[in-house]
Amino acid sequence: MKLITFTGLDGSGKSTQLDLLKTHLEQEGKKVAVFHAIGFSLANRITLALRGGKTFVPGKEKSVTRASSFSIFLRKIFLLIDILRFQSFTKKLKQNGIEFLLSDRYFFDTVVNIEYLGSSVPNSLVNLIPAPDRAFYLRITPEEILKRDRVPEQGIEYLCKKFDILEQKKSDWHLMEVNASLERNTLFEKILIELLPTHMKRG
């Protein structure tokens, strides 16, 4: 099973590119599953349950911009738990014959969210994150995002701080940078070209 992840700022087009890739692979007869780090998060599931069991909808969740030290500590604990749960999750997918797992936001994005709140995540924890077969970084500046039709409600300072964190981490995480300011179909063609080596391999 191949793990393909999309990481980037809010509004960079992760969900759009994932949907295009999912459709493309399914048209080729591939068995595809989708993963969303926030939707998968045990902490998020508990929060939703406490709010009345509302269903998680990607792109509709409200980003957290402030948190207490204890809350940040809990986020790190839940990140570890989620990474361990993910191993069991992917094992079941493989048993069910899934060939591609596509991730709209990955654990890298969870790390960015924690560091945005002002606390670094230990390398010992980051190193436990399973390495994707392709980890795309949809790179676009905050200024370009604000020119789009759908603008994140948090504003420019929020985007700039997350952008700086991603720029610092992209080499360490071996993220494959693609220009997310391109027209969506042009961007998708570039993603497909980068995927060809992975796409042709089996296993």
Side-chain angles (χ1 to χ4, degrees):
M1 184 180 72
K2 304 302 179 185
L3 172 60
I4 313 298
T5 66
F6 292 92
T7 289
L9 292 176
D10 305 59
S12 60
K14 297 182 295 297
S15 298
T16 298
Q17 293 303 316
L18 183 145
D19 288 343
L20 289 171
L21 181 56
K22 181 176 184 290
T23 299
H24 173 83
L25 291 171
E26 289 178 339
Q27 288 175 345
E28 290 192 341
K30 306 295 184 183
K31 294 189 68 175
V32 182
V34 173
F35 173 82
H36 195 292
I38 296 176
F40 182 79
S41 167
L42 185 58
N44 186 67
R45 288 170 180 258
I46 292 172
T47 300
L48 286 175
L50 292 175
R51 292 176 180 173
K54 295 181 181 179
T55 303
F56 172 78
V57 180
K60 299 295 184 180
E61 74 282 356
K62 188 173 181 179
S63 298
V64 176
T65 57
R66 295 181 182 178
S68 65
S69 297
F70 181 67
S71 176
I72 294 172
F73 171 74
L74 287 179
R75 285 172 178 267
K76 295 177 185 179
I77 296 298
F78 277 112
L79 174 57
L80 173 59
I81 293 171
D82 290 339
I83 291 171
L84 297 176
R85 291 175 57 234
F86 184 74
Q87 295 174 3
S88 176
F89 173 71
T90 54
K91 183 178 179 181
K92 290 180 181 178
L93 292 180
K94 291 176 183 177
Q95 292 172 345
N96 291 330
I98 296 297
E99 298 171 85
F100 286 87
L101 175 59
L102 311 182
S103 179
D104 175 0
R105 296 186 187 268
Y106 190 51
F107 295 118
F108 299 138
D109 299 85
T110 304
V111 172
V112 171
N113 289 340
I114 293 173
E115 299 213 350
Y116 167 82
L117 294 171
S119 179
S120 62
V121 178
N123 286 332
S124 57
L125 178 52
V126 175
N127 291 338
L128 294 176
I129 297 175
D133 293 279
R134 282 288 186 277
F136 288 106
Y137 167 32
L138 273 60
R139 187 184 187 277
I140 184 171
T141 65
E143 292 77 13
E144 289 174 298
I145 287 180
L146 292 179
K147 295 177 183 178
R148 295 189 163 185
D149 294 334
R150 291 179 58 191
V151 177
E153 63 183 24
Q154 293 79 11
I156 187 69
E157 290 185 13
Y158 168 87
L159 293 172
C160 285
K161 189 170 180 180
K162 278 196 164 183
F163 180 76
D164 289 342
I165 295 170
L166 279 167
E167 289 294 295
Q168 294 167 12
K169 301 292 187 181
K170 62 184 181 182
S171 295
D172 293 341
W173 295 343
H174 306 291
L175 301 182
M176 185 171 292
E177 187 176 314
V178 289
N179 183 2
S181 63
L182 295 172
E183 187 273 330
R184 71 171 199 168
N185 290 324
T186 302
L187 174 56
F188 180 60
E189 289 174 5
K190 291 185 175 296
I191 287 172
L192 276 185
I193 291 171
E194 295 293 347
L195 274 176
L196 279 175
T198 296
H199 195 168
M200 297 302 294
K201 293 178 183 177
R202 298 185 179 274

